[in-house]
Amino acid sequence: METTLRGVGVSHGVAIGEVRHMGTAVLEPPAKQIPADEAEREQGRARQAVEAVAADLVARGNLAGGEAQHVLEAQAMMAQDPELIADVDRRIAVGSTAERGVYDAFAAYRALLANAGEYLAGRVADLDDVRNRIVARLLGVPMPGVPDSDEPYVLIARDLAPADTALLDPTLVLGFVTEEGGPTSHSAILARALGVPAVVALPGAGEIAEGTVVAVDGSTGEIFVEPSQEKRAEMESASAARKAALSAVTGPGATSDGHKVPLLANVGGPGDVPAALEAGAEGVGLFRTEFLFLDDSKQAPSEEKQVEAYRAVLEAFPEGRVVVRVLDAGADKPLEFLTPADEPNPALGVRGLRSLLDHPDVLRTQLTALSRAAEGLPVYLEVMAPMVADRADAKAFADACREAGLQAKFGAMVEIPSAALRARSILQEVEFLSLGTNDLAQYTFAADRQVGAVSRLQDPWQPALLDLVALSAEAARAEGKSCGVCGEAASDPLLACVLTGLGVTSLSMGAASIPYVRATLAKHTLAQCERAASAARAADSADEARLAAQAVLSGE
Ligand SMILES: C=C(OP(=O)(O)O)C(=O)O
Ligand SMILES: [Mg+2]
């Protein structure tokens, strides 16, 4: 009998197929003692396994490219963490086998992370994945992860580690559903990058039996278990209609009455550029440069290496606009050489611009590299700082840009409620704003973006978040400056209309979402978008806001 479950839709499209579960079984090796004279050999075995797993993760990264590559490389570094390796050695020295030593050392590290605060929930999934890989290698059993199947399937997992998401074959994996994760978690961002329909934060998805047919709607977040023939037909035709509508609309982003809203792409490096170009991105609205820094957590990449990566992206958009975000280290993207190790709550600590102002040499090198990369190119370079809290932050960033002789527009991300509340004051120092709705939601609702349990509060339809967007856009309009959105909110087609109605001037998103947003925007006038925005802001919950906007835009 058909049943309906509802999670959070994070990547558009419809997938209908049989369920396959991710191999997440935790391999617990037996706790047997080894004689002292075997310790050295066991330690060698453990190290070899760590190196092999790290090399495998790097190789998977090379294959995947783009943002996924950097995430995988960060995981490889996790595996080679010197303190973890030292702990494994210690455990083996007092009688553990290699596999048990690894298992216990990771468990201790995991507990440490968990006690450091919930912010690390996303990284715990990555850590468990690394441990499972090393233990599986030591035990000589198959790696946990994406199931082997020749037939296309819908993948269900508790959470997806970046290593797995990166290797999902879109021709076999029709879609995926996770129990954990929020709309701005790694899995969600990577799913959109892959263009695979996905639903996250669906507790109980793990109980759907292997082989059951499900229909997943990545736009609404609905999962139909054992869908009826009528439901399947209805979803298939809705999906075909959506696809046809998508290819029918091309060109620059605009409402049906010609109000232009440039549609830009979020990229993590040159590897993401082809998809952005194919989707018709009018430029880049967010270049997350921290992915270039994840290769080596001990030092920043050389100026030369940075020039090369920046130039590759800038060259791809002649006459286009490319907004580069300077390094956003800390919290969910810690870097050893920048991020203090002992912060009780890193999301509220020295991250983003704060950490760059503490390390002016790193900021200077990055700005100089950007300046050199843009030399002689006909691109409109814009550079922005993450985590700007107030006018002093904005001034410090603009001063650093001027000192580096950068010929570009300087801007500030609005990710902290104080920046939205005092946007006009920040705009006295910089030329544009870009709303990072992922962090803005996290800080507005005190809801960690990695934690599935609080995904209700991470919903960008929350009217309080819309109010902050409106405040920022109004401030920019009053100052005659631009205010874009580069958080995941921009990738929701309906919400994109509401953001337009709130006065946002450009929308930046993962490339796969661009056609959906373009097609939806083209169906409505600016006045309709404005009415939808007012209706959404008048609501008291995210769900009501969504329904109210939908009612206005569908002409009900
Ligand atoms: C775009 C944003 O930055 P990131 O997701 O990289 O933190 C955001 O916070 O909305
Ligand atoms: Mg952010």
Side-chain angles (χ1 to χ4, degrees):
M1 201 195 70
E2 180 179 301
T3 48
T4 309
L5 304 171
R6 186 184 281 274
V8 180
V10 294
S11 183
H12 302 294
V14 164
I16 302 175
E18 286 190 8
V19 162
R20 295 274 177 280
H21 287 272
M22 189 82 170
T24 49
V26 177
L27 304 153
E28 183 170 350
K32 67 172 193 245
Q33 282 279 321
I34 55 161
D37 61 357
E38 281 181 23
E40 205 172 312
R41 194 178 59 88
E42 285 295 283
Q43 285 167 340
R45 235 166 44 83
R47 259 187 232 131
Q48 258 175 8
V50 162
E51 287 310 320
V53 165
D56 177 54
L57 287 165
V58 170
R60 283 163 172 254
N62 289 338
L63 217 67
E67 290 195 14
Q69 177 168 16
H70 300 293
V71 173
L72 288 167
E73 286 172 355
Q75 259 195 314
M77 275 170 5
M78 228 180 228
Q80 292 165 306
D81 183 290
E83 285 193 27
L84 247 172
I85 293 178
D87 191 24
V88 172
D89 275 351
R90 263 194 305 276
R91 288 170 193 275
I92 297 175
V94 295
S96 277
T97 56
E99 44 271 25
R100 189 71 206 193
V102 167
Y103 186 84
D104 288 339
F106 270 77
Y109 192 44
R110 189 185 202 281
L112 210 73
L113 291 191
N115 290 338
E118 278 188 306
Y119 87 100
L120 282 163
R123 300 200 62 87
V124 164
D126 299 358
L127 187 76
D128 286 349
D129 178 60
V130 172
R131 177 206 52 198
N132 289 349
R133 284 170 196 279
I134 303 173
V135 170
R137 177 167 283 271
L138 284 164
L139 291 175
V141 299
M143 292 287 163
V146 177
D148 281 336
S149 172
D150 297 332
E151 294 299 315
Y153 59 91
V154 173
L155 181 66
I156 295 191
R158 192 174 63 77
D159 202 355
L160 276 174
D164 300 314
T165 323
L167 281 196
L168 292 182
D169 175 352
T171 60
L172 278 181
V173 179
L174 301 165
F176 70 71
V177 180
T178 66
E179 297 185 84
E180 289 289 333
T184 60
S185 62
H186 262 143
S187 323
I189 291 174
L190 291 171
R192 278 188 284 265
L194 275 174
V196 174
V199 171
V200 301
L202 186 71
E207 277 140 46
I208 304 174
E210 184 94 357
T212 309
V213 173
V214 293
V216 179
D217 188 329
S219 304
T220 63
E222 284 170 317
I223 314 278
F224 302 95
V225 182
E226 295 183 11
S228 62
Q229 276 312 326
E230 296 85 78
K231 173 57 76 184
R232 290 173 70 148
E234 181 196 316
M235 286 180 76
E236 271 160 6
S237 79
S239 163
R242 263 187 238 165
K243 279 200 186 121
L246 287 184
S247 48
V249 187
T250 53
T255 57
S256 59
D257 53 341
H259 171 73
K260 287 200 175 354
V261 189
L263 302 179
L264 310 167
N266 289 356
V267 303
D272 292 331
V273 164
L277 290 171
E278 199 186 325
E282 295 165 61
V284 168
L286 169 64
F287 180 174
R288 289 184 162 104
T289 58
E290 52 279 359
F291 287 102
L292 298 175
F293 286 69
L294 294 179
D295 288 353
D296 183 352
S297 70
K298 300 218 166 26
Q299 56 185 2
S302 68
E303 190 177 307
E304 284 315 314
K305 192 171 169 202
Q306 291 191 47
V307 172
E308 208 180 294
Y310 302 150
R311 201 167 170 92
V313 174
L314 295 176
E315 273 173 346
F317 295 93
E319 308 295 335
R321 185 167 141 211
V322 175
V323 187
V324 180
R325 171 173 77 188
V326 292
L327 179 61
D328 182 20
D332 56 340
K333 312 165 199 121
L335 287 178
E336 236 175 82
F337 71 98
L338 283 184
T339 313
D342 54 353
E343 290 183 325
N345 192 343
L348 304 182
V350 184
R351 63 162 293 202
L353 177 66
R354 302 164 183 183
S355 112
L356 287 175
L357 296 179
D358 277 357
H359 295 82
D361 49 323
V362 176
L363 179 57
R364 201 176 312 115
T365 307
Q366 194 173 18
L367 295 174
T368 311
L370 275 167
S371 181
R372 285 181 52 202
E375 247 166 42
L377 294 181
V379 68
Y380 296 99
L381 174 63
E382 303 190 4
V383 180
M384 64 183 181
M387 299 292 294
V388 170
D390 60 6
R391 182 170 175 173
D393 273 354
K395 178 171 185 330
F397 177 63
D399 285 345
C401 290
R402 277 187 287 267
E403 276 161 31
L406 192 60
Q407 299 295 312
K409 276 191 175 179
F410 318 140
M413 286 189 75
V414 178
E415 305 187 275
I416 306 178
S418 62
L421 293 167
R422 304 286 300 180
R424 274 194 92 159
S425 130
I426 286 172
L427 282 166
Q428 304 313 304
E429 304 293 344
V430 292
E431 292 159 273
F432 69 94
L433 298 177
S434 180
L435 284 145
T437 47
N438 309 336
D439 276 313
L440 190 57
Q442 159 160 275
Y443 294 120
T444 302
F445 298 102
D448 192 314
R449 57 193 277 193
Q450 310 286 342
V451 177
V454 292
S455 64
R456 176 181 83 78
L457 296 168
Q458 273 290 330
D459 189 329
W461 280 93
Q462 286 281 358
L465 187 73
L466 301 180
D467 284 350
L468 292 174
V469 171
L471 268 181
S472 311
E474 279 158 18
R477 192 195 311 231
E479 293 294 327
K481 295 180 175 175
S482 63
C483 175
V485 171
C486 66
E488 296 301 311
S491 64
D492 173 336
L494 204 61
L495 186 50
C497 296
V498 166
L499 296 172
T500 301
L502 292 174
V504 154
T505 54
S506 64
L507 298 165
S508 190
M509 64 208 83
S513 301
I514 291 179
Y516 290 91
V517 169
R518 182 190 288 121
T520 308
L521 207 54
K523 279 198 248 164
H524 307 288
T525 63
L526 177 59
Q528 277 177 312
C529 293
E530 285 169 348
R531 280 200 299 280
S534 304
R537 281 183 76 189
D540 284 318
S541 71
D543 284 344
E544 278 176 28
R546 196 181 278 111
L547 289 174
Q550 218 156 26
V552 172
L553 293 174
S554 61
E556 279 170 27

